Amino acid sequence: MTSTIQTALFIAIVGILGIFIFMIIFYLLIKGLDKWFPYKEEKPEQDFVLDEIED
Amino acid sequence: MGLEQLLPAISGMTWQHLVMIGVGLTLIYLAIAKNYEPTLLLPMGFGAILVNIPLSSAISQIDPATGEAVEGVLNIFFDAGIATEIFPLLIFVAIGAMIDFSPLFRNPSLLLFGAAAQLGIFLTMLLATMLGYDIREAASIGIIGAADGPTSIVVASRFAPNLLGPISVAAYSYMALVPIIQPPVIRLLTSRKERLIRMTGNNNKKISKKALIAFPIVITIAAGIIAPSSLALIGFLMFGNLIRECGVLNKLSLAAQNELSSLVTILLGITIASTMTAERFIRVDTLIIIALGLFAFVFDTFGGVIFAKFLNLFRKEGNKINPMVGACGISAFPMSARVIHQMGQKEDPYNYLLMPAISANVGGQIGSVVAGGIILTLVPLLA
């Protein structure tokens, strides 16, 4: 096995592991963002005004 | 006065030039008649004709009268836009502005297929070194498997500018051929029972606007901390996405998606063609690169499908992943997702795989850019 092939093999192993590590981190970030910023139904502006008047 | 003086282009024409003009015409035919990536293949095809007419002023020539070098406009474009990576990076801004990352928030675990389906890049790189290419050339050839034209151009222009022409042609041609390449590989690797698996998920889940705005910023910071060399690629993609999601730059977002994308695509295609001269293109290397590109796409599909099958070993019945969705982890968006959805519907007309397939496909768009960034980081360190 030549040194070029050895280097390519090393890059292949580190590279594929690296992409998985990146993606796992991105996965955790997405989970985190979804938790920190949950979807909230925005009230239509008119309802909001009416609520304030009722108060 | 002889014909040579009157029409020097005819006397200078060789069979290699004619072959390249034929290649150009083929690319134009594929773009128009078959609708294969017309935005890129048509300018590349026309450019291939433009640069293969002897003494073409579109590329740099030695003036026969004075003996001085006269720079051609396509070489000027190349030096300004490709060698500096400006054109592909501007395309990333446009792509970022086009991508909706909300499918990833609905099915975040499918992001992992964006990693598995990059397998072809690294196997191809390995194979290329076995065929005698040096590590920089091999990495540039392998990146065809990213199924992402701009990433291929960035990597090839940095590591193997001499191979940029065939690598670009292979990358864009195979992206267009996804509906032909992927289905037989998937059928070979999966049983009918697996292809019938239905996937339920949070397909209708609503995503907070704040999360979508924070996503490109957080990803850029995370990518920058882990691999700063990948920041040009990921950062420009995420910048485009932030313009899209912020909600206050709608005009810029539309401009990035339409005008910027169209303008840079025109320049990118025709400029790449400046590398498609007969002397540089008609070589055994070109055929090898085109064959290796196909190998990369096949093993991308293999990686995604096998990874899905592997995950299914640990998932309960009723919660399994349709392995076909794994194949969508490539960057060819939305073509790959559409192909998988259609394959699913062919097996079972009531099986709707489009949403999970799109989630995996968006993961593939990120995965390909990450793969490009990792290669840009690792190769200079080890070569």
Side-chain angles (χ1 to χ4, degrees):
Chain A
M1 195 187 278
T2 67
S3 65
T4 312
I5 297 173
Q6 277 178 340
T7 310
L9 189 61
F10 181 74
I11 291 174
I13 294 167
V14 175
I16 204 83
L17 286 174
I19 298 178
F20 270 101
I21 290 168
F22 257 95
M23 291 310 209
I24 289 167
I25 291 169
F26 290 175
Y27 167 80
L28 295 172
L29 288 172
I30 289 173
K31 284 286 204 188
L33 286 174
D34 208 25
K35 201 174 177 183
W36 294 325
F37 303 114
Y39 180 79
K40 286 177 191 159
E41 195 74 51
E42 284 179 15
K43 283 187 175 181
E45 210 169 313
Q46 211 176 0
D47 294 355
F48 178 72
V49 174
L50 282 174
D51 285 352
E52 290 221 318
I53 291 167
E54 280 168 18
D55 288 343
Chain B
M1 187 178 276
L3 185 69
E4 276 182 30
Q5 279 94 6
L6 273 175
L7 295 167
I10 289 184
S11 58
M13 189 77 79
T14 62
W15 68 267
Q16 289 94 337
H17 290 124
L18 292 172
V19 169
M20 284 313 296
I21 290 171
V23 168
L25 290 171
T26 308
L27 292 179
I28 292 172
Y29 169 78
L30 292 174
I32 297 172
K34 303 284 180 187
N35 205 26
Y36 287 172
E37 293 285 334
T39 49
L40 256 302
L41 290 191
L42 191 137
M44 282 165 73
F46 190 80
I49 297 172
L50 205 57
V51 300
N52 283 291
I53 294 171
L55 306 176
S56 167
S57 63
I59 52 167
S60 299
Q61 302 280 351
I62 303 291
D63 188 338
T66 62
E68 283 178 12
V70 182
E71 211 164 3
V73 66
L74 289 183
N75 295 89
I76 295 170
F77 280 163
F78 187 90
D79 292 341
I82 306 260
T84 58
E85 298 170 11
I86 287 173
F87 287 169
L89 291 179
L90 286 176
I91 288 280
F92 273 121
V93 175
I95 295 172
M98 291 178 202
I99 301 179
D100 174 11
F101 283 120
S102 51
L104 274 187
F105 281 78
R106 295 193 182 98
N107 299 298
S109 60
L110 298 181
L111 185 67
L112 293 178
F113 292 112
Q118 309 304 325
L119 179 70
I121 297 176
F122 297 100
L123 289 184
T124 307
M125 185 182 71
L126 200 55
L127 183 60
T129 55
M130 288 174 186
L131 292 173
Y133 289 96
D134 68 39
I135 200 76
R136 287 169 175 267
E137 289 172 335
S140 306
I141 296 168
I143 204 72
I144 296 171
D148 180 342
T151 302
S152 301
I153 293 167
V154 168
V155 173
S157 62
R158 197 175 293 183
F159 292 153
N162 54 319
L163 302 178
L164 182 61
I167 286 172
S168 306
V169 170
Y172 282 105
S173 304
Y174 289 134
M175 277 162 63
L177 292 174
V178 160
I180 296 167
I181 297 170
Q182 286 203 315
V185 181
I186 293 168
R187 272 196 289 270
L188 199 70
L189 297 171
T190 55
S191 65
R192 183 158 192 272
K193 193 183 164 199
E194 286 173 321
R195 294 197 293 272
L196 284 170
I197 293 174
R198 291 187 180 191
M199 289 178 69
T200 51
N202 301 323
N203 294 338
N204 298 317
K205 181 184 165 190
K206 290 187 176 173
I207 311 301
S208 138
K209 193 74 191 158
K210 283 179 190 165
L212 290 173
I213 293 172
F215 180 73
I217 301 169
V218 169
I219 292 291
T220 303
I221 294 170
I225 291 169
I226 305 166
S229 305
S230 69
L231 259 189
L233 294 177
I234 296 176
F236 273 66
L237 185 79
M238 293 300 157
F239 171 58
N241 190 251
L242 183 61
I243 291 175
R244 172 199 172 94
E245 298 295 350
C246 69
V248 293
L249 294 175
N250 290 342
K251 208 171 156 189
L252 290 194
S253 170
L254 289 173
Q257 291 176 44
N258 299 301
E259 286 84 1
L260 178 69
S261 161
S262 304
L263 192 62
V264 182
T265 302
I266 291 171
L267 291 174
L268 188 68
I270 203 156
T271 306
I272 288 168
S274 68
T275 65
M276 291 174 67
T277 53
E279 312 82 69
R280 292 172 79 169
F281 205 88
I282 299 188
R283 293 187 306 187
V284 181
D285 276 343
T286 303
L287 292 176
I288 296 174
I289 288 167
I290 286 171
L292 287 172
L294 180 61
F295 178 87
F297 268 66
V298 167
F299 277 89
D300 281 346
T301 309
F302 174 88
V305 172
I306 294 299
F307 185 63
K309 287 168 75 114
F310 173 73
L311 290 182
N312 279 345
L313 295 175
F314 309 98
R315 294 174 83 106
K316 289 177 186 161
E317 205 61 49
N319 192 29
K320 292 201 185 286
I321 297 167
N322 188 315
M324 294 197 295
V325 168
C328 296
I330 61 169
S331 180
F333 182 90
M335 199 180 293
S336 185
R338 212 183 295 147
V339 167
I340 299 311
H341 176 65
Q342 283 167 355
M343 282 184 78
Q345 293 241 299
K346 211 178 261 182
E347 302 284 350
D348 171 7
Y350 299 102
N351 193 1
Y352 295 95
L353 292 173
L354 191 61
M355 287 315 289
I358 281 185
S359 300
N361 214 176
V362 174
Q365 287 185 297
I366 297 182
S368 67
V369 178
V370 170
I374 285 176
I375 283 185
L376 289 175
T377 305
L378 289 178
V379 170
L381 284 178
L382 299 165

